[in-house]
Structures are given as structure tokens and as C-alpha cells.
Amino acid sequence: MNKIAPSTRRIFSVLLMLGLTMQACTISLFGTPVSPGNSTPIPAGEIASPTPQVMAQTNFVVTIPEPLQANETLAIAIMDEVTGLSLNATQFPMSPRDSVTYTAVLPLPFNSLVKYRYIRRGAVQVFEDTNSSAAIRYRMHLVAGPGEVRDIVSDWGDKSYTRPTGSIVGQVFNSDTGSTLPNILVSAGGQQCFTDSLGRFELIGLPEGTQNLVVYSIDGMYQTFEQGATVGGGNTTSVDVRVKPAQIVSVTFTVTVPEVTVPGVPVRIAGNILQLGNTFADLQGGVSTNTDRMPILSLQPDGRYSVTIGLPIGAHIQYKYTLGDGFWNAEHTVNGQWNLREFVVPAQDLAIQDAVQTWAAGDSAPILFEVTVPSVTPPGDIIYMQFNTFGWMEPIPMWPLGNNRWAYKLYGPLNILGSFSYRYCRNGQCGSADDGDTVGASPNGRQASTSILSQDIQDTVNTWKWFENPEPVTLVGTSIVPRASGFNAGIEFQSTYRPNWSYYAPQAFANVQALGANIAVLTPSWTYATVSPLQFSPTPGQDPLWIDSAIMVSQARALGLNVAIFPTPKFPASSSSFWLGAPRDAQWWQTWFTRYRAFAVNYADLATQTGAQTLILGGDWIAPALPNGKLSDGTASNTPADVEAQWKSIIADVRAHFKGQILWALPYTKSSFETPLNFLQDVDGLYLLWSASLSANPSATKADYANEAGRLLDNEVAPLAALLQKPLVLAVAYPSATGAANACSADGKGGCLDWTALNQPNAEVSSVDINLQTQADIYEAMLTAVNTRPWVSGFISRGYYLPVALQDKSASIHSKPAADILWYWYPRMTGAVK
């Protein structure tokens, strides 16, 4: 229900402060450099805020593809990545030097890193993009003093041009040690990419001419590098860059907040570097910062808030204080403008004293949202609000009141809203873990309007989608044979990724440990952005960056779990359409193998540096690249004659970078067993991807499933295991949906869905019904079959949905009856329970 109540309620602040003492959402992802226990306020006389910044005159000179129309002008937009790239850019008009050359002189802070792009203004605003029609997030320029920046606009969003292009490739090194640097952002011509474990980068399709090359450490731990790089049409320019590491100093932020601030609510810092919540991604609604990754300030006895953070000397910091993210409930000036603060970190410790002028903007009064959620809501869950302005934006965590009640007071920016939509969800997974009345990616949502009078909106969530009435399964005791030491009992995580998942990873690993599992299989990804030319690299916001994966490995290992890394690519549509659309000529194949080699070596290095025990190569998507490869339509994929040698060379390269166990992920299909793969002799074992049909009979029992699983294992899998004489780990994926036992969940078109189609946050498939019990029965049957076959050296459940418990149709067993089956079997198989 949606009810308006009196705006002043005496008990609200008391309940809120009590609830906040239990709030789980109070730890930044990057917790190491943060010292929230700074309980002694710094005397005002000892505060040394940053000195006023010296400005440097910078002349931007840009060449555009063709002359502007009579009604058009050109502008340069200075971007605000803290608020949101599309939300608070400042535009400056440019003056023509000739018909295709424009200039603008801007005063910019000395030693700042400016992010900008060009805009063609006419009847509508048109942003620049790349030759491949990819959006340009921003260009970068390091303001080292007065100077000139020359740029070339390659393309406009509404037009396409044919012009000579070239590439810049290179490596980034630590200038002090000579070691290569991963996770460094490299930009030229508005294109961006991240370096891999060997510091390698590639920017392709750049217009010929001199490009401004910027090498930037997203956490500020290395000094920014900038120089011009000449690109020739059809040529590749090679650049090796050495960047100097930065020293760390302590920066203490102490802030006074407005008196209207609800006492004790989390006050965060949103900023432009990784440690301050910047994801360097295009998130929902045009923002780039994520609330769950921001530092939280501690409430001091004098009512101020404070936090001490280790920051790198020389880093250009832009930041703001917020009760939400960089957009929602972020600080404003008294005249209603966004308040974006900035400074360059000095060479000594710094104490900054700030004061938030207002959280509001305009004359609209704050809106207090209070919601009561179902009693079945897991006690560790956090309730989020999601607002719809220009589209659904990033969810914001609410404040706990206890007794299944949550609140959030929205101060701003209410001046731009009028009527708006909102909704509730669990653990920030709006679109998956939804309020039953606002389900899916694009619901209408609940409705609210701004007003000059304060409002208190009280809501009730009656049911959660996919978590309506969870009940544990009834377990039947079974005689379980303890396996030999080294048996893998584990969980493979779903390869989908969003930046706010990182916050929930520790709880997910704790859940895995509680099941009795001894290994977590992580599936970090890169994305194939285009097939020709082939572009394969991490996409921020969709693929975890190096640091994200490294943190997750360390979190799992801290709980005593072994870790396997199973790198998994993503495709614009599907793997089959990717292969069908590829040229697959000799040059393309050579490029593909070069890219996959870099992908595999990158994660081999990650495994080595983080202490992961196992690396898994291959996968069901890779069949067209194997010897005698076939496409999804049955035709030959035209792999090169040296394909076997290519794979053996890649495995040898991986071994040179990683000394742990290497498994090959082989799908259980007829074709994969019929085609001998000689290079499998070079790996340490098989990771058998198993979703085999166990029965087409809807009345089949667990015993029927177990018998069929045993038959398939004995007749089809055991001979391969005997031939290879290597360990075999069974990696099982069965959705909790109709058709799972027959390995065919109907797609509604007479065909079968791939099991990943039912994963969250994909759209619900109406042709498939949920069936939790069948999934549990299949798991029990599979474990029964494995129980009497000692040559199977591991059992892994695939598709675990990390951020929240859902009883949906997917293969994830997170909080489903199948999880109870594993909870009973895993400790007994590993010998932890006798």
C-alpha cells in the first residue's frame, strides 16, 4: 500500500539510530586504508585544508570530420564522473579557427586530471563516438601547466565517416621495479582500455594523426603519464610506458552536516578514484559511483563525521559527501548547484575540515520513505530503494529500523523530479530480488511526487519475487563414502557481474563454507566487444577488473576455501552467433588465438599473485576453436592446420605463469567425446561440464535419475578418464525448472534453452515453470551416483548467484532445497563429518 502520514514522528530518529547500530552496510569494499574509528575530533586550529588551486590556461584545439551546419556550434564538455557523466557536465563553446578546426581556452586546476569530450550542438546535442560507433565516455588530459591539447574527432553519434585509421599498442611498467602493471587505464582519441597482467594494451581504429595518450592508475597508486602518439593510417604505433609509483599519506576528512540530517545515518564520500566508489563504468541512469564501495565516515562525539583514508601523493581527488551516491542525496551549494570538491594530495599527511551546506536543491521538501518487508526476509539482507528519473538508476541502501522495517529520507535532487517512480529490492538486486508488485527490469514502480511540504510515505512489501515462502527440504539419511584427500566439493559462481556484487561476496563465501564446500570456483570475464576487428578485453561494470577479482580470491581464501579461477568470456548476443559471424580466415584465427592466449595468461598471473590453487581453461563455448571444430549449424569452423599446436603452446605459456593445477573444461556432449584432443595430455585433469539428460519421463524418481547418471558415467565418461589417467571433476548445472531432468527447458519455440538463459538478472522465461524439488532430487541422484565411483575426484555445483538468495528457476542453489542436499553430502564426502 502507499499511504501519506504526518511528516513528524517522534520515534523515527530513535528507532533509526538503534537500527543503524545493526546496519550491515557499513564497510567499504576497500577497507584496508580506511580508519573509521577516528573517535577523537581534530581541533579546528589543527585543520589544514587544501590550499586554493593554481589555475593553468589550457588551449584545446580539435579537428572535426566535416564543417558544421549553419545552425550548429561546437562545445567542449568537462565531465563530472562523481555525479555522473551525463548528469553534471559543464559545456564551454568553442571558436572556429577554420571550417574544421575549433579552439577553446579554459582555466584548469594545475596538476588536475581533466575528463572531457566534444559535443555538436544544433537542434539536438550529438556526442562524439569512435569509428566503430562506440560511445566515447571521455578523453583525459593531465594539466601539468599552461599548454595546448590537440584532438581529432573521429565520428559523430548520428553519422559515420570513412577515414584512415591506425592503432596504438604497448605495455605499462613500474619505473622503479620494471614489473608490468595490470589494471591501468589507457586512453587515446577517446578510446579506453585496461592493461592485462603483462601491462599490455591495444587501442584500435584511431584516426590518423597525433593522439593524446594518457596512462592513468584508477586508484592513483601510480603517477599519470601523458604524451602525444602519432598514428599512421593502416599502421600500428608501439609505445612502452614507465610510470612511477606514488607514496601514500593519510588524509583525514572531517565534515559538519546540516542540522536537518537524520542523526546517525551513514555519511559517505563519493569520489573519482577507485577507493572512493568510482567504478569507471556506465552504470544505470548515467552514474559511475557505487554506494556500497564508498568509505563511510564515523559519527564523532561532537556531531561531526570523520574518516582517515590512505591516498597517493599527487593524486587529483574530486569528491563530495553524500547520504546516497554521487547523485542521490549528495551535497549541494545553497544556490542549488552540485558541490564537487577537489584537491591534489600533498606530500604530507592532510586534515580537511568541510561543511555540507545542504543536501537539498530547490524548494521541494524532503520525503521520508518507510517500508515494512515480509517476515521471511533473510536477516542479513539489506533493503534498497531504486528511483526512476531518466530511467531506473543505481539502487541506494536504506536505513534499518528493526522488526522488518526500513527507512530512507530523500533530500535531493528533488528540484528536477516532479512526479517519479521508485521501488524496493533486496541487496541492491533490483530486477532480480524485487518487491512482488514491481518486478523486472522496467516496471512502472510505485509513484511519488515532490512537494513544498514534507512527506512521510509508508509502504508495505507483501511478497518478494523469487522468495515468497522458503521452506527447508526434508533430508533422508544416506550412507556416504568419505572420499580421499583432495576431493573437490565446491560451488561455481555465475559469471554475470555488477560492481555492487563485490559487497556481498564475503557473505556468499561464508554461505559456501557453511555448506561444507572446500573450493570456490570464480568465473571472471572479458567481453568480446566486436568480432571483426576482434576486440576482447574487460568492460568495466560488466566484467570484474583485476582488483575486483583479486579481492574476491582473497576473501574466499580468508575463509579457508581453496579457489579455482575459470575465466569465461561474454558475447554481445551469444557464443554461437559470435562464431557464425566471425570471418574465421587465417588472419582472424591468428588474432583470436593471440587474444585468448593473453586472456589465459592474464588469469594465470592473477591465480599466481592471489594464491589460487587451480586454473580452469576451455569451456562449452570454445568448441569451434578446437581441432575439427564445428559451428552450431554443424558446419566446419575452418580452424587453422596448426590448431593443436596452438593449444599446446597456450597451455605451455600458462604453465610458465602458474604452477598450480590446470584443468580443462570439457562439455559432456557426444561430439566432445568423439573428437580426441591430444593436448588434454598437457593439462592436469578434466572439469566435466555436466547437464546430461537423466530422464524424459515426468514421473521419473530419484532412483531413476541415479541409475541413468551411473550408466552415463560408466559407459561414456569412465573410458575417457581411464584413457587420460587424470583426475575428473564433475561440474553440474541443472535449473530448478521444468525440463531440467531431460536437459531441456522449453524455449516456447519448440526448442530447448541453454541453462544459463534462466540465470538472473535475465528476463523471466514464461515458457518454463519453477520446480525446486526436481532440482533437489537431481542433485541427490547425481551425488548418489558419484558416491560409488571413486574415480570421480570432485563435484561442483554451477551457476551460484552471489549477491542474494533467490528461489528462482535458475541453476543457482543459493538458498534452495538443493543447497540443503549439498549441506548434508559435502561434509560427509570430504570427511569433515563422520
Side-chain angles (χ1 to χ4, degrees):
M1 65 180 184
N2 218 15
K3 183 174 73 173
I4 305 298
S7 61
T8 55
R9 304 179 66 202
R10 284 187 254 180
I11 64 171
F12 172 71
S13 293
V14 175
L15 287 173
L16 184 57
M17 291 184 71
L18 289 173
L20 284 169
T21 63
M22 301 179 290
Q23 168 120 327
C25 192
T26 57
I27 301 174
S28 168
L29 173 65
F30 302 95
T32 304
V34 177
S35 302
N38 202 7
S39 60
T40 303
I42 302 172
E46 295 181 21
I47 295 299
S49 294
T51 57
Q53 292 180 287
V54 177
M55 308 301 282
Q57 298 294 317
T58 304
N59 184 24
F60 290 88
V61 182
V62 63
T63 302
I64 59 177
E66 65 180 7
L68 300 177
Q69 298 298 313
N71 65 333
E72 294 179 328
T73 61
L74 192 70
I76 182 173
I78 305 299
M79 314 304 292
D80 171 4
E81 197 169 16
V82 183
T83 306
L85 295 179
S86 61
L87 302 171
N88 191 40
T90 304
Q91 295 187 19
F92 298 92
M94 303 192 75
S95 302
R97 179 178 289 180
D98 57 45
S99 64
V100 293
T101 307
Y102 285 74
T103 73
V105 178
L106 305 182
L108 300 171
F110 183 68
N111 283 336
S112 64
L113 184 76
V114 179
K115 300 171 181 177
Y116 66 98
R117 63 186 173 192
Y118 296 102
I119 301 174
R120 203 180 83 236
R121 302 191 297 191
V124 295
Q125 292 193 146
V126 181
F127 299 104
E128 58 172 327
D129 62 14
T130 69
N131 272 356
S132 59
S133 299
I136 286 179
R137 299 190 73 235
Y138 50 71
R139 301 169 181 264
M140 294 192 289
H141 169 56
L142 177 64
V143 185
E148 183 174 273
V149 180
R150 289 186 171 270
D151 291 316
I152 303 169
V153 170
S154 175
D155 205 36
W156 293 114
D158 62 344
K159 297 183 178 182
S160 293
Y161 303 92
T162 301
R163 62 191 307 165
T165 62
S167 303
I168 301 176
V169 301
Q171 282 183 283
V172 180
F173 300 88
N174 181 325
S175 64
D176 287 1
T177 66
S179 60
T180 56
L181 296 177
N183 211 49
I184 299 293
L185 178 62
V186 181
S187 174
Q191 294 194 41
Q192 299 180 359
C193 70
F194 282 87
T195 56
D196 65 11
S197 64
L198 297 181
R200 296 175 298 197
F201 65 89
E202 181 179 38
L203 298 167
I204 65 175
L206 296 170
E208 66 176 352
T210 299
Q211 300 290 346
N212 194 42
L213 178 71
V214 177
V215 177
Y216 175 65
S217 172
I218 60 177
D219 55 8
M221 299 302 292
Y222 293 87
Q223 296 177 6
T224 302
F225 171 91
E226 180 177 36
Q227 75 171 29
T230 301
V231 175
N235 294 326
T236 297
T237 301
S238 296
V239 180
D240 284 347
V241 177
R242 284 164 172 77
V243 292
K244 189 170 183 60
Q247 300 299 310
I248 301 296
V249 297
S250 293
V251 179
T252 298
F253 298 85
T254 302
V255 63
T256 302
V257 300
E259 291 183 358
V260 298
T261 307
V262 176
V265 299
V267 177
R268 293 176 166 88
I269 298 179
N272 65 326
I273 63 173
L274 200 67
Q275 299 92 313
L276 302 182
N278 190 4
T279 65
F280 295 86
D282 295 316
L283 305 180
Q284 295 184 84
V287 301
S288 296
T289 56
N290 178 260
T291 302
D292 293 325
R293 299 167 69 113
M294 297 174 189
I296 296 180
L297 289 80
S298 294
L299 179 61
Q300 306 300 303
D302 65 358
R304 294 185 298 168
Y305 289 78
S306 184
V307 67
T308 298
I309 306 174
L311 292 177
I313 295 172
H316 172 229
I317 304 297
Q318 293 180 309
Y319 72 101
K320 62 174 68 175
Y321 298 99
T322 179
L323 304 179
D325 60 13
F327 181 82
W328 294 109
N329 269 354
E331 61 172 316
H332 285 73
T333 62
V334 290
N335 62 2
Q337 301 299 309
W338 298 104
N339 194 22
L340 184 64
R341 307 170 185 269
E342 60 183 333
F343 69 100
V344 175
V345 179
Q348 64 279 336
D349 291 350
L350 175 66
I352 298 176
Q353 179 174 267
D354 290 320
V356 173
Q357 297 177 33
T358 179
W359 302 116
D363 297 326
S364 296
I367 304 175
L368 174 62
F369 295 90
E370 296 183 80
V371 63
T372 301
V373 300
S375 59
V376 298
T377 305
D381 277 7
I382 297 169
I383 308 306
Y384 284 64
M385 290 197 75
Q386 188 180 32
F387 298 105
N388 187 330
T389 52
F390 325 104
W392 289 103
M393 299 188 73
E394 285 294 299
I396 305 296
M398 299 184 72
W399 309 325
L401 300 177
N403 296 321
N404 295 313
R405 296 176 58 230
W406 294 76
Y408 190 71
K409 194 167 188 177
L410 183 63
Y411 295 92
L414 297 178
N415 58 317
I416 64 173
L417 294 185
S419 297
F420 62 98
S421 304
Y422 68 97
R423 63 170 170 172
Y424 303 103
C425 62
R426 297 163 46 227
N427 289 3
Q429 303 312 303
C430 295
S432 298
D434 294 322
D435 170 2
D437 292 332
T438 57
V439 171
S442 302
N444 291 330
R446 300 171 184 259
Q447 302 300 309
S449 299
T450 57
S451 170
I452 59 173
L453 300 177
S454 297
Q455 301 176 69
D456 183 350
I457 297 179
Q458 298 180 61
D459 290 321
T460 299
V461 173
N462 294 307
T463 60
W464 293 118
K465 179 67 172 178
W466 305 126
F467 209 81
E468 298 177 9
N469 188 27
E471 295 180 358
V473 70
T474 300
L475 297 173
V476 178
T478 304
S479 176
I480 298 172
V481 179
R483 309 308 287 261
S485 175
F487 183 83
N488 289 309
I491 299 293
E492 179 190 309
F493 287 84
Q494 185 177 320
S495 62
T496 307
Y497 174 80
R498 297 292 181 270
N500 64 359
W501 287 24
S502 300
Y503 181 80
Y504 294 96
Q507 182 58 52
F509 293 132
N511 292 342
V512 168
Q513 182 193 48
L515 292 175
N518 57 20
I519 187 169
V521 181
L522 306 184
T523 55
S525 57
W526 286 7
T527 294
Y528 282 104
T530 58
V531 65
S532 183
L534 191 64
Q535 293 181 289
F536 186 39
S537 61
T539 299
Q542 300 177 33
D543 305 312
L545 299 179
W546 173 281
I547 185 64
D548 298 315
S549 296
I551 288 172
M552 290 180 67
V553 173
S554 66
Q555 289 168 336
R557 296 196 66 223
L559 290 172
L561 292 169
N562 292 331
V563 174
I565 297 176
F566 182 11
T568 307
K570 292 178 183 172
F571 302 89
S574 66
S575 60
S576 60
S577 62
F578 168 82
W579 290 114
L580 288 168
R584 302 190 311 281
D585 55 24
Q587 183 177 356
W588 187 90
W589 273 117
Q590 185 57 50
T591 302
W592 186 88
F593 276 107
T594 298
R595 299 289 189 277
Y596 184 85
R597 184 188 303 267
F599 179 57
V601 168
N602 179 79
Y603 286 106
D605 286 334
L606 178 71
T608 295
Q609 294 184 28
T610 58
Q613 287 81 7
T614 302
L615 181 68
I616 304 171
L617 302 178
D620 50 10
W621 66 278
I622 212 167
L626 300 179
N628 301 310
K630 294 289 192 296
L631 302 175
S632 57
D633 62 4
T635 61
S637 59
N638 194 35
T639 51
D642 66 344
V643 60
E644 187 87 41
Q646 290 271 14
W647 282 114
K648 292 177 75 68
S649 174
I650 288 172
I651 294 170
D653 256 9
V654 168
R655 284 207 182 278
H657 289 257
F658 175 64
K659 304 307 179 185
Q661 182 185 50
I662 299 174
L663 302 181
W664 182 267
L666 184 72
Y668 173 76
T669 61
K670 183 178 181 181
S671 60
S672 66
F673 278 73
E674 286 178 343
T675 305
L677 300 175
N678 295 327
F679 66 82
L680 290 183
Q681 295 295 339
D682 297 346
V683 299
D684 300 315
L686 290 184
Y687 189 75
L688 189 63
L689 307 178
W690 178 280
S691 301
S693 173
L694 301 179
S695 178
N697 183 355
S699 302
T701 64
K702 283 187 287 188
D704 296 328
Y705 300 154
N707 290 336
E708 177 64 5
R711 186 187 70 81
L712 295 175
L713 288 171
D714 289 341
N715 294 345
E716 300 187 22
V717 180
L720 178 63
L723 175 66
L724 293 175
Q725 289 294 299
K726 296 177 184 292
L728 183 143
V729 176
L730 202 62
V732 172
Y734 286 97
S736 49
T738 53
N742 192 30
C744 183
S745 293
D747 63 3
K749 303 175 184 178
C752 301
L753 292 167
D754 185 89
W755 65 272
T756 59
L758 299 175
N759 284 352
Q760 298 296 335
N762 293 336
E764 183 178 357
V765 180
S766 59
S767 59
V768 177
D769 293 326
I770 192 168
N771 193 324
L772 299 174
Q773 188 58 52
T774 294
Q775 184 191 42
D777 290 346
I778 291 171
Y779 264 87
E780 190 169 1
M782 289 300 307
L783 288 162
T784 299
V786 169
N787 190 37
T788 56
R789 290 164 176 84
W791 52 269
V792 177
S793 60
F795 187 97
I796 307 291
S797 170
R798 304 186 69 198
Y800 192 93
Y801 189 60
L802 180 152
V804 66
L806 294 176
Q807 298 201 326
D808 63 348
K809 304 173 186 178
S810 76
S812 171
I813 55 91
H814 190 176
S815 196
K816 293 180 182 176
D820 295 331
I821 302 297
L822 295 184
W823 171 83
Y824 181 82
W825 277 79
Y826 272 179
R828 290 164 176 80
M829 296 182 85
T830 61
V833 173
K834 304 298 183 182

